[in-house]
Amino acid sequence: MYLEFITKSTEETEAVGAKFAKSLKPSDFVAMFGDLGAGKTAFVRGASRYLAPGAAVQSPTYTVVNEYPAKVPVYHFDMYRIDDEDSLYSIGYYDYLENGGICFAEWCEKIEPYLPDHFYSVTIRKSVEDPDVRCIRIVEEYR
Ligand SMILES: Nc1ncnc2c1ncn2[C@@H]1O[C@H](COP(=O)(O)OP(=O)(O)OP(=O)(O)O)[C@@H](O)[C@H]1O
Ligand SMILES: [Mg+2]
């Protein structure tokens, strides 16, 4: 899978997230890349609208992981403050990977060596010209 989208609003980024979410299966892992304010949380909010309707999706900045209950639960990580594998163990990262839910992780730049064998990378880049424009690239990756 290799997909690219240009969005011109937060709502359009949420819509791309919702559409992509329809192709996800239990145990899938979505690794999100992109700067501060790129739109990672907006994408996860859109995806969760399909996967965990009613979930109040917010950046798990202080909690590190938010859980959104659903038939297949959604786990939403923010790796911004993760600096080593010990921190991953202490948040239960490897347990989450194995319990059948769908994981979204923001700031995967921080955990590159610890990503699972199979994941979707979602990279969001801001336009330098227009503050509302984003480029979203989705790639299925194997290691
Ligand atoms: N096309 C767009 N797609 C997504 N967000 C947009 C777009 N245009 C403007 N925005 C704005 O950019 C911001 C994106 O915020 P969001 O929290 O989703 O980013 P983030 O990548 O999760 O940031 P952080 O690294 O702080 O977690 C919001 O204020 C949103 O309204
Ligand atoms: Mg965020």
Side-chain angles (χ1 to χ4, degrees):
M1 177 191 284
Y2 186 101
L3 300 169
E4 270 189 343
F5 302 88
I6 302 291
T7 66
K8 299 194 164 84
S9 67
T10 314
E11 292 70 27
E12 283 183 25
T13 293
E14 291 174 3
V16 170
K19 192 170 176 203
F20 166 65
K22 293 179 186 172
S23 63
L24 292 173
K25 299 183 300 300
S27 295
D28 276 345
F29 189 97
V30 183
M32 317 265 317
F33 298 86
D35 286 345
L36 219 67
K40 302 179 293 294
T41 300
F43 185 97
V44 177
R45 183 175 300 115
S48 299
R49 211 152 61 200
Y50 175 75
L51 296 170
V57 174
Q58 287 182 331
S59 234
T61 309
Y62 298 102
T63 48
V64 185
V65 54
N66 288 345
E67 304 188 4
Y68 309 130
K71 200 163 65 179
V72 178
V74 173
Y75 304 118
H76 181 192
F77 298 86
D78 185 343
M79 303 303 189
Y80 191 72
R81 290 184 171 74
I82 300 291
D83 286 314
D84 52 27
E85 199 180 20
D86 282 349
S87 326
L88 282 180
Y89 278 108
S90 54
I91 63 163
Y93 172 73
Y94 293 105
D95 301 323
Y96 280 108
L97 288 186
E98 289 183 358
N99 81 357
I102 294 177
C103 295
F104 290 83
E106 300 192 30
W107 288 103
C108 279
E109 290 89 343
K110 309 281 292 207
I111 61 154
E112 223 94 46
Y114 314 115
L115 288 170
D117 292 342
H118 169 249
F119 61 94
Y120 295 94
S121 69
V122 174
T123 306
I124 309 182
R125 301 266 170 245
K126 300 190 218 178
S127 158
V128 284
E129 282 127 37
D130 186 327
D132 291 332
V133 170
R134 303 288 187 272
C135 176
I136 304 173
R137 192 185 65 211
I138 304 176
V139 185
E140 185 170 14
E141 313 218 22
Y142 298 90
R143 302 201 150 170

